[in-house]
Amino acid sequence: MTRPLTSRRPAGGADGRLSCNRDFLVMSMGNGLSQVGTGAAGMVLPLVVLRSTGSTLWVGVVEAVWMASVGLACVPAGPIVDRFDRRTVLLICDAGRALASAALALASLDGRPPVWILLSAGVVLGFLGAPSNAAFLASLRRLVPGSRLSTAVSVTLGRIQAANLIGPIVGGFLFSVSPSAPFWFDACSFVISGVCVFAVRRSLRATPAAGSRFMSDLTAGFRFVWRERLLRTCLLTTVALGLILQGILLLVIMVNAQRGASGPSVGFIVSAATGGALVGTVLAPVAGGRFPPVRLVMGATAVTGCLVLVMATARDRIAMAALLALAMVVMSIAGSVLTTTRLLRTPDGFQGRVNSVFNLTQFAAALGPTMAGLMLDRLSGGASLLIFAGLLWALTLLLTLLKVPAPEAAAGSPDPDAPAPGGRA
């Protein structure tokens, strides 16, 4: 608990500085562009469905199918990423998603694609998106030395936040040109991403788990995480933080809407939150290098609880947006440190399965807005925010009582080339 988050063992002989690491830069560029394309297409999807069907019910059905496809694909995505060459997985996923997006673009030329095409494209994009995300994150250990992994994770998460800002803007502009234009852009982004993956020189093949079977691999990630005390704590903390933050974000939006905030004002609040998260990813490597990860997360939850407490009493929209942005800065630092910790702690042959387990926790975050909505039905916005502040402090206390060891004390940084544990726990 006294040492910062570092690793003394380089991964695969990657270049020390990320600015000189060609393979990392090439893959990051391609993945970042595909993230922007996905954001652009995701923004216009409800508009296209509504124009095509005239039914808000179908909007919800199509969105649900797309999200459910990603969730279902998370389970087999891990074993696939750990069993096969991750370059091949990434190339197949990019090619499949490019074809699905192109088909959706063709069907949207008149602005009214058939529902069955919308649903089919959602299934394909969802089922290929999960293994692609797992393969990219697992490949970081092959591209970046452990001493630079924290910075690489921050760059990756920061790129996602930037894509969340840029993608909807690009999508809105392209939609004004043609309803099919955002999907053409999405298809092209996947093609470029595939070219970038193909251009990577370093091997992305995983170290196989000896004697494992595919069906056993489906649950091996869960068993491995639950067996490792540090990873188990990271998982439970990630679930709790995702749920709490989504609830707080909805509360801030709804409270300001009830106070008569205009659409642009609400948009400003959301942008402030996204901007704060982006700043947090930039600061994360510095914070992660100075403080032990568990203590840093404990401090982040305590500080965020105090910020939410002040939010509960704030009346000014700008002040509330500023407080929310600060909270997102702190929580983004904690999230980046949690991601780096699990990448360092997980053997290369288990990266895909462990990443899939953590990706599944994103769906638990959907309970946060549900909780917030139930609270607002019965309590004031300030009282609801106080409850979420209490949850953050309770999480801080729980982490204090657990006394989780630092990564080095638990097991050090596993060698990415070391054989992974067997598929049977």
Side-chain angles (χ1 to χ4, degrees), residues 373-393:
L374 290 173
M375 290 179 188
L376 281 176
D377 278 344
R378 295 164 174 80
L379 303 170
S380 66
S384 300
L385 285 169
L386 285 175
I387 293 175
F388 275 101
L391 291 175
L392 285 165
W393 290 328

Side-chain angles (χ1 to χ4, degrees), residues 37-46 48-49 58-73 97 100-101 104 115-130 183 186 190 363:
T38 299
M43 180 270 173
V44 304
L45 177 65
V48 172
V49 177
W58 274 114
V59 173
V61 169
V62 172
E63 290 275 3
V65 168
W66 282 44
M67 290 185 64
S69 298
V70 175
L72 290 173
R97 290 186 294 175
S101 297
L104 188 53
V115 173
W116 70 268
I117 289 184
L118 291 166
L119 294 174
S120 300
V123 171
V124 173
L125 291 170
F127 270 94
L128 294 180
F183 301 115
D186 197 23
F190 289 130
F363 295 92

Side-chain angles (χ1 to χ4, degrees), residues 3 10 24 72 81 97-98 122 159 167 189 203 213 234 240 243 267 295 301 320 324 327 343 357 379 402 409:
R3 283 184 267 176
F24 174 75
L72 290 173
V81 168
R97 290 186 294 175
R159 189 180 63 246
S189 73
S203 172
R213 298 185 216 171
C234 287
L243 185 152
R295 286 185 180 176
T301 53
M320 189 169 282
L324 180 62
L343 289 177
V357 171
L379 303 170
L402 286 176

Side-chain angles (χ1 to χ4, degrees), residues 35 49 69 82 97 139 169 178 184 194 200 210 227 267 269-270 276 299 346 362 396 400 411 418:
Q35 292 279 357
V49 177
S69 298
D82 288 338
R97 290 186 294 175
S139 298
I169 298 174
S178 168
W184 285 121
V200 171
R227 191 171 62 235
I269 292 172
V270 175
T346 305
Q362 297 175 6
T396 304
T400 303

Side-chain angles (χ1 to χ4, degrees), residues 48 144 232 239 301 401 424:
V48 172
V144 180
R232 184 170 68 244
V239 171
T301 53
L401 295 175
R424 299 180 184 278

